[in-house]
Amino acid sequence: MKVLFILIAIITFIFTDNFMSKITVSNTDNLEKTNFEFKIETETETELGATHQSIELNLTSMKNICELAVMDYYYSNIATYKQEDAQGMWLWKKDKEFWIEYNGIVTLGINATLLDFEVIDNLVMVTLPDIEVLEIRIDDKSLSADSIFKAPHSADITADDQIRTFNEAQQNMIKSVIADTTLFNHAQDRVKILLENYINNIGKQTDINYTIEWNNTIKDQ
């Protein structure tokens, strides 16, 4: 039993170390009903003794919004392993078979550092990077000694068997998430909704009816 607990700690450490992201903020699903407060930076220009304050679209504020506009995808996964005739000889041969059940969270969003925009009259052209996997976390509460199931009459399983099986299951799960275009489209819509709300809010304060154009082409940095 002590070996299983040590194994679980190793698995959690290895996987978390490999996939830890810089962005770990999540928000709720009801974006249309969510009110975000953003600091609007002002520039003060003094000319002929007069002070003028201008409210403008701000790239830093837009990047901050993108860091909030992430989507958490909760999943349940089963890592399975089976090896025939893994132990013994002749009639005493045994297969090696077990599985591990656990839960995790995949965070989708954009790399906010690649966000950019340009304003021409009332047209706002936003360069929006593609959605990507920002972080993968294992639910520690779901991974315990009780999460590992050994088939009846199975040959002995090793810590290496379990770690390798767990990592392979995680990689397959990541591939399935990346292949889910609907999930990625939903995450991108979340980003667009928040940015659109911010731009329109600035437009109302400056009496400008902005038109937004989305562009996925990343400029050279």
Side-chain angles (χ1 to χ4, degrees), residues 56-184:
E56 300 178 340
L57 294 174
N58 182 274
L59 182 59
T60 299
S61 295
M62 294 175 71
K63 288 182 176 180
N64 289 338
I65 292 171
C66 290
E67 292 182 359
L68 291 173
V70 296
M71 185 177 77
D72 284 340
Y73 167 71
Y74 295 82
Y75 67 91
S76 297
N77 205 16
I78 300 177
T80 61
Y81 180 92
K82 183 174 183 179
Q83 179 185 358
E84 295 183 354
D85 300 334
Q87 185 177 351
M89 297 178 62
W90 296 343
L91 299 177
W92 296 273
K93 288 182 179 180
K94 288 185 177 181
D95 297 338
K96 183 184 297 186
E97 184 176 4
F98 67 92
W99 61 95
I100 307 172
E101 299 179 359
Y102 62 97
N103 300 322
I105 305 171
V106 176
T107 300
L108 301 179
I110 70 168
N111 183 348
T113 62
L114 299 178
L115 179 76
D116 200 3
F117 78 98
E118 182 179 0
V119 179
I120 302 177
D121 296 329
N122 67 333
L123 175 64
V124 182
M125 295 178 290
V126 181
T127 300
L128 189 65
D130 290 332
I131 296 295
E132 58 186 69
V133 176
L134 298 180
E135 181 186 13
I136 298 177
R137 309 189 297 279
I138 304 301
D139 183 357
D140 294 336
K141 295 180 181 179
S142 72
L143 193 59
S144 65
D146 295 332
S147 304
I148 303 174
F149 299 88
K150 181 179 177 182
H153 311 299
S154 170
D156 295 334
I157 59 177
T158 66
D160 183 64
D161 291 332
Q162 296 178 57
I163 293 175
R164 185 173 62 253
T165 301
F166 180 84
N167 288 336
E168 289 177 356
Q170 282 296 99
Q171 292 301 322
N172 291 334
M173 184 277 304
I174 294 171
K175 291 178 181 178
S176 67
V177 170
I178 293 175
D180 191 338
T181 57
T182 300
L183 196 64
F184 273 63

Side-chain angles (χ1 to χ4, degrees), residues 45-52:
E45 299 176 355
T46 303
E47 183 177 355
L48 299 177
T51 301
H52 174 68

